[in-house]
Amino acid sequence: MNLLHCFKHWRIRRILRRYPVNRLIWRRLMREDVLFSGLSSVQKAYLRELTTLFIQQKRFHAAQGLELTEVMQIKITAHACLLILELGLDYYQGWRDIIVYPEAFWVERDETDENGIVSHQQRVLGGEAWLSGPVVLAWQDFDRETHQFAAGRNLVLHEFAHKLDMLNGAANGKPPLHSSMDHHAWTLAFSQAFEQLRHQLEQGQTSTLNPYAASEPAEFFAVSTEYFFTAPDHLAHHFPRVYQQLSLFYRQDPLT
Ligand SMILES: [Zn+2]
């Protein structure tokens, strides 16, 4: 172990010792939030460490008068860190800020369509993730989804999946795969599923995933990540190859 590694290790141990996540808040979250019900006690302990380190490394900002409590920060962080439970905190490197609005927020910006035509757009968003920039969330949307445990819906999982996708540039539905993974198998699984979903919508059939997934490959990856963690049986049933690739990428198998 070299000196730099030793120092990093020492700093991590110190943060975990000095700034542990509030025990009562943590216990309640683990007990009441069904998203974590399948985790072993070892996984929960590691998730708590990741949550502690994340809160120390990142900066939360409240927008539009929201009172951003410790409970809210811990809940957002624990959901975000579930994605990287078997990947490590380095997967959230290169950015620092999480901005939390009380509810869905308006954005105004110039957008360029596929023909290169720029138009000024106003939209209401529940969340967004910026390349090398902040993650923006609407607390009410996230809180509502998690209280009702809407299968396939989880704003934090969605936006942080975009962050993983952006580790290798603008979000395109393909995060940096592990060296053991097959790029062709990933592309085939996701492109076939994406086309299948678009076909369902074009034919007026019942969409097997949230139709938003069909808007572009980046959204398909983010939405399928939501299903992978909140409704794994549904995703594995309808898109088994996508489930398998996500299982390889996240190094988790929520079905077991
Ligand atoms: Zn999205």
Side-chain angles (χ1 to χ4, degrees), residues 21-22 25 28-29 51 55 59-63 65-78 98 100-102 139 142-143 147:
V21 166
N22 182 296
I25 296 173
R28 187 170 177 195
L29 181 66
T51 301
I55 288 173
R59 291 287 173 270
F60 277 90
H61 307 272
L66 174 72
E67 190 190 339
L68 187 58
T69 64
E70 190 180 3
V71 171
M72 293 154 87
Q73 292 183 39
I74 290 173
K75 182 172 175 177
I76 290 168
T77 304
I98 301 109
V100 189
Y101 282 80
W139 171 256
F142 172 56
D143 197 43
H147 265 123

Side-chain angles (χ1 to χ4, degrees), residues 127-129 158-159 162 212 215-216 218-220 222-223 226:
E128 61 179 344
H158 182 104
E159 299 306 336
H162 281 319
Y212 189 54
S215 58
E216 55 181 294
E219 297 306 339
F220 191 94
V223 170
E226 292 179 79

Side-chain angles (χ1 to χ4, degrees), residues 94-159:
W95 58 277
R96 199 189 65 170
D97 300 301
I98 301 109
I99 301 167
V100 189
Y101 282 80
E103 52 194 31
F105 50 93
W106 281 95
V107 293
E108 275 188 62
R109 61 188 58 140
D110 291 332
E111 292 184 2
T112 309
D113 69 14
E114 62 265 30
N115 300 315
I117 297 169
V118 178
S119 58
H120 192 69
Q121 298 284 340
Q122 283 187 317
R123 286 195 291 163
V124 177
L125 297 179
E128 61 179 344
W130 290 61
L131 183 65
S132 306
V135 172
V136 189
L137 303 165
W139 171 256
Q140 191 182 62
D141 293 39
F142 172 56
D143 197 43
R144 191 190 308 120
E145 288 168 351
T146 51
H147 265 123
Q148 297 168 351
F149 195 70
R153 303 288 177 121
N154 186 303
L155 180 66
V156 168
L157 297 182
H158 182 104
E159 299 306 336

Side-chain angles (χ1 to χ4, degrees), residues 5-21:
H5 190 84
C6 278
F7 177 69
K8 193 178 170 191
H9 190 70
W10 172 79
R11 273 199 65 218
I12 288 172
R13 301 313 317 170
R14 197 177 66 142
I15 290 169
L16 292 175
R17 204 170 49 244
R18 282 195 178 179
Y19 311 102
V21 166

Side-chain angles (χ1 to χ4, degrees), residues 79 153 177 180 200 218 250:
H79 279 244
R153 303 288 177 121
L177 304 183
S180 56
Q200 287 172 356
Y250 287 113

